[in-house]
C-alpha cells in the first residue's frame, strides 16, 4: 500500500475527561466536532481512533461517522481525514470479536467508496502486541475479509488495510524494532507482500502503570531511536504514533507543557488527542496545543549509540524496580478506589480487561519482588482509573519510585550520570514532578497507606525535593482546591457524593486520569 499524507492529530475515545462522559450513541457527534474547524468549536483533528479494545462500541459506528462527517463538513474520507479502529486483543477478548470489528471496517470502507470513491479506513491498530506472528495472524484475517468483501460486496480490489502495532509494555517498546522487522519478513515470506512504510504506535500509559513514569518515558525514547536506526538500515519509512494523555504520568500533552512534549518526543508523526485535552481544558488552549503538534511533526528523532542505550536500559531497570516495589503495596487500595471512579465511556469491567504484572518482574529480575507478590493475580484497573485513584490517595503517580531510583543510581553510577539523565534524556522531568507536587497530599496518604509504603513515598518526595529544588506544600490555588476535594472524597466514601468530588478533582487537574 502506498503511503499517502499521514494524519498528525488523532482524536481518540479515551475516557479521561472529568467534565464529559460519552455514550456510544454520542460518539458519532463527538467525531464530527473532532474534525470540525476551530471557529465552529471543533478541534481540527485529521484522524479518529474508533476504539473497540475492551469497549462496547457499536460495530456500525465507523460507517455512521463517515456518513455524518462527509455530509456535514464536506470532507473527503481518505484525503481530509481517516477513521482508524483499534481492534480487540485476541489475548483478552475472543477471536470472533476481532473478526467482527475487521468486517465492520470492511463494510464501512464499502460505504466510503460509495459516497466519495475513497477509502476512509486504511489502518487498524493492534493493541498489546507481543510478537511478529500475532500481527501476521491478524493481517491474514484482514486479507481474507477484504477478499470476501470484494467477492460479495463489490469492494474495489485496490482497497488495502494495514496493521498499526501498538506497543504498551516497556520490554516490548525496547524490542519494537525487532518485532516490526520480524513482521516485515513474515509478510514477505508467507504472504508475498512488501510494505513501504510502517506506522508504529508507542503507548505511554500502560507502560507507565506497570513500570513507572520515568521507565516508560525512557523506553519510548529508546524505541524512537531504534526505529530510526532500523528505518535507515531497511530503507523503509517508519512513522511513529505517540499515545499520550494530558497528565504527566500519561505523557503530559498539556498547554503548559507542549514545548517540553515536542522536544521530549521528537520524531513523532502522529499524536493522540485525548478527551481530557479536548474537554477539560479551555477550547482555545486545546487548539493551540493541536496546532503546535501539527507544526512540529515529522522531525528526525534523537538517535542513541549502543553505549547510551545500555546506560538508559540500566536506568529503566532501576526506576522500574523502585516504582514496582511501592506500587504493588498500594495495588489493592488503588483497585478499591478505581471501582468508585465513574465510567466515562461504555467499557467492559476491570476483571475482563486487566493488566498483568509479569513483564516488570522479568525486566527487574529481583527475587525479593517475586516473593513480595501476593499469591493471586493483581488485576490492576485500566490506566486512566489507576491514575485517578493515585491522585485521590494524595500520591500523584509520576513521583512513585523516582526519588529512591535517583538515589540508587547516584550511588551506582555517580552524580554526573544523574545530571546527564536530567539534562539530556528527560529534560521535562522537573516540570512533570513540579506539576505532581502541586497535587501531593501526604496527610491523606499517611491515613490510607501502610507505614512501610508511606515511608517509601516520603523518601521519594524528599529526594525529588533535593534534586529538583521542589518544595512539598508549596502549592497554588488549584492545589489547595484539589486537596479539599480529596478530603471530601474520603469523607463521603460509600455515598454518591464521593463520585462528584472525584470528578471535581479531575477537572482541577485538567483530566480525570
Amino acid at each position: 500500500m502506498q503511503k499517502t499524507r499521514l494524519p498528525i492529530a488523532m482524536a481518540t475515545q479515551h475516557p479521561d475527561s472529568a467534565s464529559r462522559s460519552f455514550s456510544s450513541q454520542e460518539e458519532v457527534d463527538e467525531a464530527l466536532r473532532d474534525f470540525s474547524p476551530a471557529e465552529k468549536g471543533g478541534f481540527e483533528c485529521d484522524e479518529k481512533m474508533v476504539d473497540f479494545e475492551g469497549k462496547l462500541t457499536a460495530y456500525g459506528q465507523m460507517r455512521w461517522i463517515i456518513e455524518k462527517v462527509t455530509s456535514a463538513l464536506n470532507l473527503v474520507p481518505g484525503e481530509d481525514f481517516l477513521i482508524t479502529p483499534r481492534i480487540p486483543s485476541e489475548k483478552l477478548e475472543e477471536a470472533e470479536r476481532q473478526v467482527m470489528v475487521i468486517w465492520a471496517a470492511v463494510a464501512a470502507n464499502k460505504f466510503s467508496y460509495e459516497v466519495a470513491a475513497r477509502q476512509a479506513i486504511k489502518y487498524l491498530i493492534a493493541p498489546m502486541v507481543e510478537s511478529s506472528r500475532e500481527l501476521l495472524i491478524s493481517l491474514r484475517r484482514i486479507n481474507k475479509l477484504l477478499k470476501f468483501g470484494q467477492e460479495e460486496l463489490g469492494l474495489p480490489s485496490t482497497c488495502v488495510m494495514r496493521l498499526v502495532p501498538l506497543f504498551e509494555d516497556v520490554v516490548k517498546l525496547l524490542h519494537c524494532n525487532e518485532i516490526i522487522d520480524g513482521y516485515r519478513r513474515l509478510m514477505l515470506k508467507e504472504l508475498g507482500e512488501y510494505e513501504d512504510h510502517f506506522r508504529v504506535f508507542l503507548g505511554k500509559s500502560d507502560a507507565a502503570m506497570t513500570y513507572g513514569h520515568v521507565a516508560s518515558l525512557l523506553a519510548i525514547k529508546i524505541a524512537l531511536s531504534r526505529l530510526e536506526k532500523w528505518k535507515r538500515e531497511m530503507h523503509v519509512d517508519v512513522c511513529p504514533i505517540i499515545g499520550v494523555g494530558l497528565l504527566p504520568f500519561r505523557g503530559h500533552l498539556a498547554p503548559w507543557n507542549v514545548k517540553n512534549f515536542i522536544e521530549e518526543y521528537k520524531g513523532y508523526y502522529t499524536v493522540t488527542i485525548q478527551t481530557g485535552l479536548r474537554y477539560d481544558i479551555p477550547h482555545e488552549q486545546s487548539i493551540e496545543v493541536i496546532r503546535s503538534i501539527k507544526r512540529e511533526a515529522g522531525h528526525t528523532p534523537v538517535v542513541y549509540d549502543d553505549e547510551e542505550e545500555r546506560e538508559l536500559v540500566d536506568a529503566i531497570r532501576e526506576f522500574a524496580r523502585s516504582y514496582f516495589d511501592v506500587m504493588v503495596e498500594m495495588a489493592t487500595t488503588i483497585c478499591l478506589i478505581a471501582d468508585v471512579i465513574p465510567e466515562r465511556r461504555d467499557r467492559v469491567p476491570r476483571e475482563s480487561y486487566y493488566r498483568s504484572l509479569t513483564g516488570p518482574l522479568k525486566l527487574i529480575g529481583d527475587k525479593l519482588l517475586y516473593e513480595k507478590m501476593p499469591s493471586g493475580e493483581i488485576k490492576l484497573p485500566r490506566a486512566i482509573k489507576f491514575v485517578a485513584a493515585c491522585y485521590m490517595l494524595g500520591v500523584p503517580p509520576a513521583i512513585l519510585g523516582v526519588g529512591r531510583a535517583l538515589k540508587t543510581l547516584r550511588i551506582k553510577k555517580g552524580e554526573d550520570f544523574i545530571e546527564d539523565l536530567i539534562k539530556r534524556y528527560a529534560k521535562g522531568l522537573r516540570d512533570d514532578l513540579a506539576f505532581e507536587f502541586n497535587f501531593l497530599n501526604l496527610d491523606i496518604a499517611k491515613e490510607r497507606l501502610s507505614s512501610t509504603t508511606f515511608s517509601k513515598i516520603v523518601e521519594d518526595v524528599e529526594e525529588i525535593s533535593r534534586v529538583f529544588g521542589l518544595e512539598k506544600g508549596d502549592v497554588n490555588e488549584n492545589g489547595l482546591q484539589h486537596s479539599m476535594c480529596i478530603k471530601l472524597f474520603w469523607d463521603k466514601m460509600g455515598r454518591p457524593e464521593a463520585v462528584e468530588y472525584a470528578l471535581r478533582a479531575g477537572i482541577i487537574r485538567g483530566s480525570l486520569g
Side-chain angles (χ1 to χ4, degrees):
M1 181 174 69
Q2 291 297 310
K3 182 181 74 170
T4 55
R5 183 193 68 83
L6 289 175
I8 300 171
M10 176 192 283
T12 72
Q13 296 176 336
H14 284 82
D16 61 325
S17 170
S19 60
R20 281 290 309 267
S21 62
F22 291 87
S23 67
S24 183
Q25 291 82 3
E26 292 172 319
E27 287 173 341
V28 176
D29 285 332
E30 178 194 15
L32 180 65
R33 185 177 179 189
D34 292 334
F35 291 129
S36 294
E39 58 269 22
K40 294 185 178 180
F43 294 103
E44 300 183 350
C45 295
D46 46 6
E47 186 170 22
K48 179 71 181 183
M49 185 180 85
V50 176
D51 200 359
F52 293 90
E53 186 206 12
K55 184 168 171 288
L56 305 175
T57 306
Y59 291 121
Q61 190 181 102
M62 291 175 282
R63 172 181 169 148
W64 303 333
I65 291 173
I66 295 166
E67 185 174 19
K68 190 138 197 173
V69 171
T70 53
S71 61
L73 299 178
N74 200 30
L75 297 178
V76 179
E79 291 187 6
D80 299 322
F81 70 95
L82 290 183
I83 304 295
T84 304
R86 177 160 64 172
I87 64 177
S89 166
E90 188 180 342
K91 292 186 288 292
L92 293 180
E93 301 184 62
E94 305 82 7
E96 299 96 299
R97 189 159 135 71
Q98 189 183 95
V99 169
M100 289 291 288
V101 173
I102 295 169
W103 178 245
V106 171
N109 266 338
K110 177 182 181 289
F111 176 75
S112 179
Y113 275 105
E114 288 173 353
V115 298
R118 297 288 190 280
Q119 177 182 343
I121 302 168
K122 299 180 180 181
Y123 305 94
L124 298 94
I125 299 165
M128 302 176 69
V129 169
E130 295 185 351
S131 71
S132 307
R133 177 63 61 177
E134 71 181 78
L135 289 169
L136 186 74
I137 290 169
S138 294
L139 181 61
R140 276 181 169 150
R141 287 180 182 148
I142 292 168
N143 289 345
K144 288 176 182 177
L145 290 167
L146 279 170
K147 186 172 178 59
F148 186 73
Q150 291 162 10
E151 293 173 349
E152 300 296 329
L153 302 182
L155 190 70
S157 60
T158 53
C159 183
V160 177
M161 298 191 299
R162 290 299 187 215
L163 281 172
V164 178
L166 169 51
F167 297 98
E168 307 174 77
D169 175 272
V170 162
V171 174
K172 300 304 180 293
L173 284 163
L174 295 175
H175 294 279
C176 65
N177 56 313
E178 297 167 17
I179 295 172
I180 294 296
D181 186 62
Y183 176 51
R184 184 189 69 86
R185 293 174 187 275
L186 284 172
M187 288 175 67
L188 279 168
K189 180 181 177 182
E190 300 196 19
L191 303 180
E193 296 183 10
Y194 173 79
E195 188 60 71
D196 70 337
H197 75 283
F198 291 85
R199 298 184 80 190
V200 183
F201 204 140
L202 310 176
K204 176 75 168 71
S205 300
D206 281 348
M209 186 172 68
T210 45
Y211 295 82
H213 174 53
V214 180
S216 58
L217 166 64
L218 296 177
I220 289 178
K221 300 188 81 165
I222 292 174
L224 289 167
S225 170
R226 290 180 173 176
L227 287 170
E228 178 65 19
K229 287 189 275 190
W230 180 75
K231 165 187 172 179
R232 296 173 188 178
E233 181 185 351
M234 293 294 111
H235 305 289
V236 295
D237 279 348
V238 178
C239 307
I241 303 168
I242 305 295
V244 289
L246 181 134
L247 298 172
F249 194 71
R250 299 189 58 239
H252 214 178
L253 180 60
W256 52 85
N257 196 63
V258 67
K259 290 182 180 178
N260 281 342
F261 177 89
I262 288 167
E263 177 66 22
E264 203 80 270
Y265 297 102
K266 185 179 178 182
Y268 70 83
Y269 273 70
T270 306
V271 174
T272 58
I273 310 299
Q274 300 185 9
T275 46
L277 178 60
R278 303 203 308 271
Y279 290 99
D280 294 346
I281 295 296
H283 180 256
E284 63 275 10
Q285 294 181 26
S286 302
I287 290 298
E288 186 49 46
V289 170
I290 294 166
R291 289 176 177 173
S292 297
I293 289 296
K294 287 182 174 181
R295 284 193 298 267
E296 300 297 332
H299 292 296
T300 301
V302 176
V303 175
Y304 305 124
D305 61 33
D306 292 345
E307 180 59 29
E308 284 180 298
E309 287 188 2
R310 280 192 291 271
E311 292 285 339
L312 288 175
V313 170
D314 285 346
I316 285 171
R317 190 172 286 111
E318 197 55 57
F319 279 106
R321 177 184 288 109
S322 296
Y323 169 81
F324 196 86
D325 179 47
V326 72
M327 186 274 286
V328 168
E329 294 176 358
M330 298 169 61
T332 301
T333 305
I334 287 171
C335 289
L336 292 172
I337 301 170
D339 288 340
V340 178
I341 305 297
E343 297 290 344
R344 313 307 277 163
R345 302 270 178 176
D346 299 330
R347 299 188 98 165
V348 301
R350 167 168 61 89
E351 291 75 16
S352 304
Y353 224 98
Y354 63 92
R355 296 306 193 238
S356 172
L357 299 180
T358 56
L361 286 171
K362 291 177 182 177
L363 174 72
I364 297 164
D366 188 330
K367 289 183 179 179
L368 292 176
L369 286 183
Y370 273 99
E371 293 169 2
K372 191 177 198 176
M373 288 287 288
S375 55
E377 177 79 51
I378 297 175
K379 296 185 176 182
L380 289 178
R382 298 290 288 268
I384 291 161
K385 285 195 171 190
F386 177 93
V387 171
C390 287
Y391 280 106
M392 301 318 288
L393 267 173
V395 187
I399 71 170
L400 291 173
V402 173
R404 285 171 295 123
L406 288 171
K407 188 181 291 185
T408 302
L409 287 168
R410 178 180 295 103
I411 295 168
K412 288 182 176 180
K413 294 181 177 290
E415 190 70 42
D416 289 347
F417 179 83
I418 300 300
E419 289 186 15
D420 238 21
L421 184 72
I422 294 169
K423 291 179 180 178
R424 294 183 58 200
Y425 303 113
K427 297 178 184 177
L429 182 57
R430 186 191 187 281
D431 289 340
D432 291 348
L433 296 170
F435 180 94
E436 299 288 67
F437 263 47
N438 195 42
F439 301 108
L440 179 69
N441 191 316
L442 291 177
D443 292 336
I444 293 290
K446 188 174 184 179
E447 288 177 19
R448 304 295 166 182
L449 298 170
S450 72
S451 58
T452 303
T453 304
F454 181 71
S455 67
K456 292 175 183 176
I457 291 168
V458 169
E459 189 177 350
D460 281 329
V461 169
E462 289 177 348
E463 185 65 13
I464 290 169
S465 296
R466 190 189 74 78
V467 173
F468 294 96
L470 300 174
E471 293 293 332
K472 56 182 182 291
D474 183 15
V475 300
N476 62 20
E477 182 62 28
N478 278 349
L480 294 172
Q481 291 180 12
H482 191 270
S483 284
M484 183 60 67
C485 280
I486 60 176
K487 287 175 184 175
L488 291 168
F489 170 82
W490 286 106
D491 288 345
K492 305 296 183 182
M493 181 59 78
R495 296 160 58 183
E497 296 96 315
V499 170
E500 291 304 313
Y501 287 115
L503 293 175
R504 286 187 197 177
I507 291 170
I508 291 168
R509 294 190 298 270
S511 180
L512 181 62

